[in-house]
Amino acid sequence: MTPLAEILAKQIKTTGPITLAEYMSVCLLHPKYGYYTTQDPLGLDGDFTTAPEISQMFGELIGLCLAQCWMDQGSPDQFALVELGPGRGTLIADVMRATQHVPGFHIAADLHLVEASSRMRDLQAKALPEHRPTWHDSAETLPHDRPVFVIANEFFDALPIRQFQRDPKGWREVMVGVSEDGGLQRGLSDPAPIDALKARLEDTEPGALVETCAHGTAVVDALARRIAEQGGMALIVDYGGWHSDGDTFQAVRGHRPVDPFAEPGRADLTAHVDFEALARSALLAGCAVSQFTKQGVFLERLGITARAQSLAKGLGNEALEAHITAHRRLTHPDEMGSLFKVLGLYPGTESPPPGLDP
Ligand code: SAH
């Protein structure tokens, strides 16, 4: 048993089963034994990899997209450049490098990073030696007095979800309990009506499973209010669909799927992002929302192929091979190109960010 499994089993025996959301939060962010608190999960030697770790092209194109939106909104002379969940800081470092020659952009920008793990904050500080970011525990404390230009790549999939299984008498919530042998196990609560899931009664049958992510919609609400009132925009890039449909809770360790309840704190836990729920939250907060767009399409529209060709010129055999593979991984429909989607949030008075349709 991992130390975290012992802590959770003891808690559950004392106060009863916990929701999947509580389980996920503790596993990922427990101050001593949480997954993001104890290790650097990214890259080839880690448990999973992300688009900016695969190629510098991803962060460069995101940077140019952010800078173009900033210019389209009249180049405001003070704005917050924000990343949610910056991991190793690779993406934001690529954004800064790609935008260094955009006149006035760096002078107007102050950098804000929303990051829960102090270990990840140290890595981010190292990746940004020339910049002085302000770190935040949550999006709630982002500035209220200037436009916010935001990027979030693979952030929302790490936020805690709850799962509900439809039952003839209402919804049963997936809970984490303790089995007879003392290990952690999945269980179901008694059925109850859930007001927030009323609309899902129309498109689900008994037995169907839906996921909700209150943390995700709250983060979008905080961003969208600022974008609507102060200007700016947000790019949300992640794997997921338009609608939560079925069980997408997963654990990954060493680039392989593992049992999410077997070694709490040692595996990455994620769920697919329900983009419809995020879009609804943004619209309610008064923000416009772009078309839901595949990552491959978005990157092609931003010019990834031209950038790939220009970078390829300086590369020898092996590096060229790796570069071609990276381009394919980011864009091809069989790789990240279709599974990953992009949603843009922007003020209703503006056009959507480059690469996205209204
Ligand atoms: N965006 C990066 C890393 C994605 S990994 C990339 O593309 O490479 C997820 C990141 O979100 C990590 O930095 C993790 O520590 C952070 N994170 C996870 N849950 C969080 C939460 N609830 N609040 C703030 N940061 C969180």
Side-chain angles (χ1 to χ4, degrees), residues 49 54 295 324-332 335-337:
T49 192
I54 291 171
Q295 172 174 299
I324 292 167
T325 306
H327 179 209
R328 187 187 143 89
R329 278 188 78 182
L330 294 182
T331 56
H332 197 278
E335 307 252 3
M336 296 168 83

Side-chain angles (χ1 to χ4, degrees), residues 216-222 224 276-287:
T217 47
V219 171
V220 165
D221 179 72
E276 185 190 34
L278 301 187
R280 205 180 302 126
S281 173
L283 291 168
L284 274 174
C287 210

Side-chain angles (χ1 to χ4, degrees), residues 25 28-29 35-37 39 41-43 48-54 58 83-92 113-121 124 136-139 151-160 215 219 237-238 268:
S25 310
L28 293 178
L29 296 172
Y35 180 72
Y36 283 113
T37 340
Q39 53 210 311
L42 289 148
F48 62 95
T49 192
T50 58
E53 302 294 335
I54 291 171
F58 184 79
E83 185 176 3
L84 309 182
R88 286 179 174 170
T90 308
L91 169 53
I92 196 70
L113 306 179
V114 175
E115 173 57 66
S117 147
S118 55
R119 192 187 169 95
M120 298 313 276
R121 286 184 185 196
Q124 292 153 19
H136 299 257
D137 291 328
S138 107
I151 168 68
N153 182 58
E154 288 211 43
F155 169 74
F156 285 89
D157 66 68
L159 301 182
H215 193 142
V219 171
V237 188
D238 225 308
D268 185 37

Side-chain angles (χ1 to χ4, degrees), residues 75-97:
S75 308
D77 59 12
Q78 244 194 346
F79 73 96
L81 183 56
V82 180
E83 185 176 3
L84 309 182
R88 286 179 174 170
T90 308
L91 169 53
I92 196 70
D94 289 338
V95 164
M96 297 315 279
R97 198 187 57 259

